[in-house]
């Protein structure tokens, strides 16, 4: 039987204590390493995080340093800044991709249209777990909506005047379709980068059309400018004509009122003594009429015979004063250049008073 060695037993105990201390130190160091490397995470200003605990996901939106339980909780960060992708062209070299850009319009024309779609993450949890690739879903929805909207417009609107309206309709349609898929993405903006015909010849034709439209607009603007320049002068001329007409109207009305007043005054006098007024009016009328008449007085003290002697007087170039006055007291038997026959005819009046004394 071997004897018990106390020194050996002491050595074994010391070795066991050292081993225990080493294991304890190693475990503590491992725990510290795990806690130091996997228990904390940081969220930037333009980020959000999805924290899962036994498969249950919650969003963490506050920026800064956060704590998680190692091996139990997991964190996936999500970029919430505005991002985008191109439809119809390659962003790296700007080369057209006709597979996506070539479309047909309502009037059966082909056009190449390039779009740029801007989006951002609206729900981090859905963006991470609702689908495998939410951006791919957004791209497919965008392609479908773009072709549907372009197909409802004619080629002229797509190339020139309808771009803003097309962009707005595409954006509204994509938003509506994304709401149905519910993938946690939100469309911010839709922009038409370029639109052109598919061939060079057609492109030149459309450029000529656009130039003609610009010429039309220029002509319209020039016409409006000319109209604006001429309208004030024309309006001033109209105002002058209206003022002259109003002044003429006032003058004529005043004259008419004066004539009316004059007539009323004459009528009042006429009513007082009609005979005297008639004689005065007769004399005034004769003063106006007689200077233009040729009168022949045959000496009978009567004025009831007026002979048509104008042609005879004009024939001999005689008196052109307009009035021929001949009297029997002057011893002239004839009163016209026609001779004695005419004078005798005048003497043989029915009253029997003709002839020489």
């Amino acid at each position: 039987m071997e004897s018990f060695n106390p020194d050996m037993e002491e050595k074994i105990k010391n070795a066991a204590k050292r081993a225990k201390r080493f294991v304890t130190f190693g475990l503590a160091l491992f725990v510290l390493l795990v806690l130091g490397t996997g228990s904390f995470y940081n969220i930037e200003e333009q980020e959000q995080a999805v924290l899962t605990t036994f498969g249950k996901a919650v969003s963490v939106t506050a920026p800064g340093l956060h704590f998680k339980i190692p091996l139990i909780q997991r964190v996936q960060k999500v970029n919430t800044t505005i991002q985008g992708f191109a439809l119809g062209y390659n962003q790296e070299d700007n080369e057209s991709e006709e597979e996506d850009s070539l479309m047909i319009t309502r009037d059966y024309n082909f056009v190449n249209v390039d779009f740029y779609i801007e989006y951002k993450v609206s729900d981090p949890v859905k963006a991470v777990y609702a689908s495998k690739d939410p951006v791919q879903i957004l791209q497919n929805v965008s392609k479908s909506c773009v072709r549907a909207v372009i197909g409802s417009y004619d080629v002229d609107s797509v190339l020139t005047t309808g771009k803003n309206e097309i962009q707005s309709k595409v954006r509204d349609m994509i938003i509506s379709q994304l709401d149905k898929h519910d993938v946690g993405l939100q469309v911010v903006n839709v922009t038409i980068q370029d639109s052109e015909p598919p061939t060079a010849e057609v492109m030149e034709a459309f450029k000529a059309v656009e130039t003609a439209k610009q010429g039309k607009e220029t002509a319209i603007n020039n016409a409006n400018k000319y109209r604006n320049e001429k309208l004030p002068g024309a309006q001033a001329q109209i105002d002058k004509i209206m003022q002259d007409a109003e002044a003429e109207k006032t003058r004529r009305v005043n004259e008419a009122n004066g004539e009316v007043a004059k007539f009323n005054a004459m009528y009042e006098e006429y009513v007082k003594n009609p005979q005297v007024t008639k004689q005065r009016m007769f004399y005034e009328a004769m003063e106006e009429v007689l200077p233009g008449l040729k009168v022949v007085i045959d000496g009978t003290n009567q004025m009831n015979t007026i002979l048509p002697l104008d042609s005879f007087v004009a024939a001999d170039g005689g008196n052109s004063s307009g009035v021929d006055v001949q009297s029997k007291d002057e011893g002239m038997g004839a009163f016209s250049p026609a001779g004695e026959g005419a004078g005798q005819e005048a003497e043989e009046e029915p009253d029997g008073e003709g002839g020489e004394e």
Side-chain angles (χ1 to χ4, degrees), residues 190-298:
V190 175
T191 307
I192 295 179
Q193 296 294 98
D194 191 18
S195 60
E196 59 184 13
T199 62
E201 292 80 3
V202 179
M203 188 183 304
E204 291 298 326
F206 276 103
K207 287 181 179 179
V209 171
E210 184 65 21
T211 302
K213 287 184 177 180
Q214 293 177 358
K216 171 187 172 183
E217 295 296 328
T218 301
I220 292 175
N221 293 334
N222 291 336
N224 290 333
K225 177 182 177 182
Y226 179 79
R227 180 189 64 181
N228 295 333
E229 290 175 353
K230 294 298 181 181
L231 272 179
Q235 190 63 44
Q237 187 175 2
I238 290 173
D239 294 339
K240 183 178 181 300
I241 293 173
M242 293 295 293
Q243 292 174 1
D244 293 343
E246 190 67 26
E248 181 67 13
K249 169 189 171 183
T250 303
R251 185 184 66 81
R252 293 193 179 188
V253 169
N254 293 336
E255 289 180 356
N257 290 334
E259 293 294 329
V260 170
K262 179 181 177 181
F263 180 82
N264 290 334
M266 291 174 62
Y267 181 74
E268 291 177 0
E269 297 299 325
Y270 171 78
V271 171
K272 294 178 182 178
N273 197 339
Q275 187 61 33
V276 173
T277 304
K278 285 181 180 180
Q279 290 179 356
R280 182 178 60 79
M281 293 177 68
F282 174 77
Y283 293 148
E284 290 177 355
M286 289 299 101
E287 287 179 356
E288 295 180 1
V289 172
L290 287 179
L293 294 179
K294 295 183 182 301
V295 180
V296 177
I297 300 176
D298 61 357

Side-chain angles (χ1 to χ4, degrees), residues 40-54:
F40 297 94
Y41 62 96
N42 185 47
I43 298 179
E44 303 293 339
E45 288 290 338
Q46 301 297 330
E47 290 181 337
Q48 291 186 13
V50 178
L51 179 67
T52 57
T53 305
F54 297 113

Side-chain angles (χ1 to χ4, degrees), residues 42-333:
N42 185 47
I43 298 179
E44 303 293 339
E45 288 290 338
Q46 301 297 330
E47 290 181 337
Q48 291 186 13
V50 178
L51 179 67
T52 57
T53 305
F54 297 113
K56 184 178 180 181
V58 294
S59 61
V60 181
T61 60
L65 189 64
H66 297 269
F67 175 80
K68 72 179 181 65
I69 302 174
L71 305 178
I72 296 177
Q73 293 181 321
R74 293 183 178 180
V75 175
Q76 186 169 351
K77 296 181 181 180
V78 177
N79 184 5
T80 58
T81 59
I82 296 177
Q83 306 174 68
F85 57 87
L87 285 181
Y89 70 100
N90 192 326
Q91 285 184 267
E92 295 179 358
D93 54 13
N94 287 329
E95 290 293 329
S96 178
E97 298 177 350
E98 289 195 354
E99 181 181 355
D100 294 331
S101 66
L102 187 62
M103 306 178 195
I104 187 170
T105 61
R106 183 181 62 189
D107 50 355
Y108 304 105
N109 285 294
F110 288 96
V111 291
N112 283 328
V113 187
D114 301 333
F115 282 85
Y116 189 77
I117 313 297
E118 295 178 278
Y119 70 94
K120 68 177 183 178
V121 175
S122 59
D123 190 329
V125 175
K126 291 180 180 179
V128 173
Y129 293 105
S131 63
K132 181 179 180 181
D133 192 349
V135 176
Q136 184 63 42
I137 294 176
L138 175 58
Q139 289 178 345
N140 295 334
V141 170
S142 300
K143 292 177 182 179
S144 175
C145 294
V146 164
R147 292 188 179 275
V149 174
I150 294 296
S152 64
Y153 283 83
D154 56 36
V155 64
D156 189 56
S157 299
V158 175
L159 296 177
T160 56
T161 59
K163 291 183 179 180
N164 292 332
E165 186 176 348
I166 291 173
Q167 292 173 169
S168 177
K169 283 194 174 183
V170 169
R171 178 178 178 273
D172 294 341
M173 186 176 291
I174 294 175
I175 291 174
S176 177
Q177 293 296 324
L178 277 181
D179 289 341
K180 296 178 182 179
H181 289 83
D182 197 18
V183 292
L185 299 182
Q186 176 185 353
V187 173
V188 177
N189 192 28
V190 175
T191 307
I192 295 179
Q193 296 294 98
D194 191 18
S195 60
E196 59 184 13
T199 62
E201 292 80 3
V202 179
M203 188 183 304
E204 291 298 326
F206 276 103
K207 287 181 179 179
V209 171
E210 184 65 21
T211 302
K213 287 184 177 180
Q214 293 177 358
K216 171 187 172 183
E217 295 296 328
T218 301
I220 292 175
N221 293 334
N222 291 336
N224 290 333
K225 177 182 177 182
Y226 179 79
R227 180 189 64 181
N228 295 333
E229 290 175 353
K230 294 298 181 181
L231 272 179
Q235 190 63 44
Q237 187 175 2
I238 290 173
D239 294 339
K240 183 178 181 300
I241 293 173
M242 293 295 293
Q243 292 174 1
D244 293 343
E246 190 67 26
E248 181 67 13
K249 169 189 171 183
T250 303
R251 185 184 66 81
R252 293 193 179 188
V253 169
N254 293 336
E255 289 180 356
N257 290 334
E259 293 294 329
V260 170
K262 179 181 177 181
F263 180 82
N264 290 334
M266 291 174 62
Y267 181 74
E268 291 177 0
E269 297 299 325
Y270 171 78
V271 171
K272 294 178 182 178
N273 197 339
Q275 187 61 33
V276 173
T277 304
K278 285 181 180 180
Q279 290 179 356
R280 182 178 60 79
M281 293 177 68
F282 174 77
Y283 293 148
E284 290 177 355
M286 289 299 101
E287 287 179 356
E288 295 180 1
V289 172
L290 287 179
L293 294 179
K294 295 183 182 301
V295 180
V296 177
I297 300 176
D298 61 357
T300 60
N301 297 326
Q302 295 183 358
M303 293 295 294
N304 58 359
T305 301
I306 299 177
L307 302 178
L309 302 178
D310 289 347
S311 60
F312 298 100
V313 174
D316 67 349
N319 184 15
S320 60
S321 63
V323 179
D324 293 338
V325 181
Q326 296 182 359
S327 173
K328 190 168 74 171
D329 293 338
E330 298 174 352
M332 299 179 61

